[in-house]
Amino acid sequence: MEKRQEYFGALAAGYFFLAAMGAMMFIVAAGLDLTGNAVAELINGWVTLAAAVVTGIGALLLTVELSKKMKFYLVMTKPSSLMGLGSITMSAFVAIAFVYSTTFFDFIPWYPAHGLRGVLAVLGIIAAVVLAAYPGLELGEARGRAFWNGSGLVPLFLVNGAVSGIAGVLLISTILGQAQSPAVLALGGGVLFGCLAVQAVLLAGYLMGVHSSGAEEGRRAVEAILRGSLSAKFWWGVVVSGLAVPLLLYLFGNSPALTVIKAILILIGCACFRCVFLQAGVRRSLPGEENEWMSVEEEAQLGLRLEQRWKEKETWLYGGNG
Amino acid sequence: MRWGMLIDLSKCIGCHACTVACQQEHRLQLGEKWNRVLRVGPYGKYPNLTAYFLPVPCMHCEDAPCVDGCPTGASFRREDGIVVIDEEKCVGCKFCMVSCPYGVRHYNEDKGIVEKCILCFQRLDNGEVPRCVETCPVNARFFGDLDDPESEIVHLIRKKNANPLHKELGTKPAVYYIFP
């Protein structure tokens, strides 16, 4: 029955993943900048530029998902809807992150523009928090889809976004040769470890909470995740790639090569997390919905069979001269 | 004024005439149904088995999640309570399909927009009743103003203790059912 229900597809999952990752990358970088960390001067230009690009790609995925792509601007015309608010925030965030990143490149005329940089860092953090939080609120609006209605969804999405954002910052820092700087080591060490542990606890708590909430569609969703159609993506993607292996890798030190492997595995896990959570939001079934008789294909086949039968009858009645 | 519908499930014989009439009225494609008819049951224990048919049009909710969630304002409620879709504004994001708890919205691949039961407002504007109400051969459907305490539909809702589907979701549907 779930297969006949509507849910967001891979493009929307990709958007949610990339938007959260970009937003959290910016928050980490701007946080380093605002606290006066020296490494910010070395990595923030590229990290925040990547945050803008990643979020922009997410926005493109969202636009591709629309059937009327040239009318994408209409999505920003109703800020009272969460999707409208999210779209406006996303556009503002991409612009802020891009301008902020330019203040770190010495070939830009206004470099270093410390005053502007500080203002943009604060504005960008506000936009990033909204961008990372609104998907959870938006999904929570869908009444009758108990899997998305849990109060723990927004914190879980935020922590998952933080994990992907930190992984993104670690990747770029390693590429820039800053993997061993104290701030980056701390980020990839205790901070990331703590976020992964919190995510594991929140994830287990959320699934158990929804399963025991009493809503039948919530139980169906958790069953699909743990033992059903989404189990491979959940166990191999979210749990093994996104949590277990990165946590185990802490036993083998923090060399740049391990950091890159860890970050890539985490990003795969976070992408799988978004897919699983979007697809698991099944709707409360209506009485008798499980008996819905025919699919479109079955109806078409029945129509063809009927037409064939009518033709046979016509031939029998009129000898093919009807 | 708030248009609403009452469906007497003890009368409905599951003939699908309402579904077909709706498809003809709105020239829908094969397989597209703005008014599904579900078969509930049989449930119970032999020989005391029960089954009934459940027609499911758009519920035209007063607190419609599809209207609140629509990012373009394409889905909106008319003054008479009917939830409609502005084809010019719909960009096919399908969020309304996800947020509708009744699964009554359909994506039209050719037009690239979402469609659903509009309670035949074009007929209402001409003083007629919705096509499904007119077509029902057993008179299982009643139509009227839910805000008028003297209307037949309000009397029947009270008398027969009619209820909407999934009342607990708090969307305040305008379609009520007399359950068998």
Side-chain angles (χ1 to χ4, degrees):
Chain A
M1 189 167 61
E2 277 81 355
K3 283 182 183 164
R4 294 193 184 174
Q5 288 201 12
E6 316 75 25
Y7 49 75
F8 286 130
L11 291 174
Y15 159 70
F16 281 159
F17 163 64
L18 292 174
M21 179 184 165
M24 288 301 186
M25 281 170 72
F26 185 90
I27 290 176
V28 171
L32 290 173
D33 182 19
L34 291 174
T35 53
N37 204 301
V39 78
E41 200 63 42
L42 300 168
I43 65 168
N44 269 22
W46 289 107
V47 168
T48 53
L49 183 62
V53 171
V54 161
T55 312
I57 293 170
L60 274 180
L61 293 183
L62 197 63
T63 310
V64 171
E65 176 95 351
L66 302 179
S67 55
K68 292 187 177 172
K69 294 162 187 58
M70 298 313 288
K71 286 188 174 179
F72 71 94
Y73 58 89
L74 287 175
V75 175
M76 290 182 266
T77 54
K78 193 180 152 199
S80 60
S81 76
L82 279 167
M83 191 186 263
L85 176 71
S87 306
I88 294 167
T89 309
M90 178 180 62
S91 308
F93 171 76
V94 171
I96 292 169
F98 178 73
V99 178
Y100 175 82
S101 72
T102 62
T103 64
F104 288 90
F105 296 109
D106 55 9
F107 60 87
I108 301 288
W110 53 82
Y111 170 84
H114 286 296
L116 175 70
R117 190 187 286 182
V119 172
L120 289 176
V122 173
L123 289 176
I125 286 173
I126 294 167
V129 169
V130 175
L131 190 57
Y134 96 89
L137 296 170
E138 182 181 311
L139 296 181
E141 261 195 342
R143 283 182 242 180
R145 293 188 190 247
F147 186 71
W148 294 339
N149 298 149
S151 55
L153 190 64
V154 174
L156 183 55
F157 272 24
L158 282 174
V159 174
N160 179 265
V163 167
S164 60
I166 293 170
V169 173
L170 289 177
L171 265 182
I172 293 172
S173 303
T174 309
I175 292 166
L176 295 173
Q178 297 300 320
Q180 298 299 318
S181 74
V184 176
L185 280 175
L187 203 61
V191 178
L192 181 59
F193 185 87
C195 285
L196 284 171
V198 171
Q199 190 192 351
V201 172
L202 284 179
L203 181 61
Y206 192 81
L207 294 180
M208 283 193 288
V210 172
H211 195 265
S212 59
S213 67
E216 58 93 14
E217 73 275 20
R219 277 199 302 277
R220 268 166 40 218
V222 177
E223 287 298 324
I225 289 175
L226 298 180
R227 283 177 277 274
S229 56
L230 301 171
S231 61
K233 235 178 275 178
F234 176 72
W235 288 111
W236 288 108
V238 181
V239 177
V240 174
S241 172
L243 288 168
V245 177
L247 285 171
L248 280 175
L249 285 178
Y250 276 97
L251 298 173
F252 301 98
N254 56 359
S255 68
L258 274 181
T259 305
V260 168
I261 293 169
K262 210 187 294 176
I264 290 171
L265 286 174
I266 285 172
L267 291 178
I268 292 169
C270 290
C272 289
F273 170 88
R274 300 284 168 169
C275 281
V276 167
F277 265 63
L278 279 191
Q279 294 189 348
V282 291
R283 177 167 51 74
R284 184 169 304 185
S285 52
L286 300 172
E289 211 164 19
E290 70 280 5
N291 293 336
E292 261 195 295
W293 294 320
M294 285 183 276
S295 66
V296 176
E297 290 78 15
E298 288 166 336
E299 269 182 20
Q301 278 175 4
L302 182 65
L304 281 173
R305 283 220 311 271
L306 273 173
E307 200 170 317
Q308 199 179 354
R309 185 84 181 113
W310 287 335
K311 278 186 180 158
E312 283 169 12
K313 272 198 166 182
E314 190 183 37
T315 311
W316 180 73
L317 281 170
Y318 306 110
N321 301 319
Chain B
M1 159 169 275
R2 187 185 174 211
W3 289 121
M5 194 185 285
L6 172 69
I7 305 175
D8 188 345
L9 300 182
S10 59
K11 282 185 177 177
C12 179
I13 54 171
C15 67
H16 295 263
C18 50
T19 307
V20 176
C22 174
Q23 286 175 319
Q24 286 179 337
E25 177 72 26
H26 301 285
R27 296 163 190 253
L28 305 184
Q29 294 171 339
L30 176 71
E32 191 178 0
K33 292 172 191 162
W34 289 0
N35 183 91
R36 293 183 294 162
V37 179
L38 304 173
R39 187 196 63 193
V40 185
Y43 57 84
K45 198 172 177 188
Y46 181 82
N48 300 313
L49 296 166
T50 308
Y52 63 92
F53 295 95
L54 178 74
V56 188
C58 171
M59 303 290 153
H60 298 278
C61 305
E62 192 177 328
D63 186 5
C66 56
V67 172
D68 294 340
C70 178
T72 65
S75 286
F76 65 98
R77 283 183 84 233
R78 296 182 2 145
E79 283 188 358
D80 54 10
I82 301 175
V83 176
V84 292
I85 301 165
D86 183 341
E87 292 191 8
E88 290 301 309
K89 282 188 178 177
C90 180
V91 292
C93 72
K94 306 185 196 88
F95 183 60
C96 54
M97 293 174 69
V98 173
S99 61
C100 173
Y102 301 100
V104 296
R105 289 181 165 241
H106 305 271
Y107 180 65
N108 186 322
E109 294 275 354
D110 293 339
K111 291 184 186 173
I113 58 167
V114 174
E115 295 178 327
K116 66 166 196 74
C117 157
I118 52 173
L119 221 49
C120 293
F121 69 78
Q122 77 286 358
R123 289 172 62 90
L124 297 178
D125 293 345
N126 290 331
E128 298 171 292
V129 293
R131 188 72 189 275
C132 56
V133 177
E134 185 186 79
T135 304
C136 182
V138 292
N139 292 325
R141 291 179 181 244
F142 302 89
F143 185 76
D145 181 6
L146 294 174
D147 282 346
D148 178 5
E150 299 306 317
S151 64
E152 183 194 15
I153 186 172
V154 172
H155 275 295
L156 280 169
I157 287 171
R158 281 200 200 124
K159 190 176 159 191
K160 302 280 188 178
N161 194 23
N163 274 300
L165 276 179
H166 291 324
K167 190 165 67 170
E168 71 282 2
L169 295 176
T171 57
K172 300 177 191 162
V175 176
Y176 285 75
Y177 293 91
I178 299 171
F179 288 93

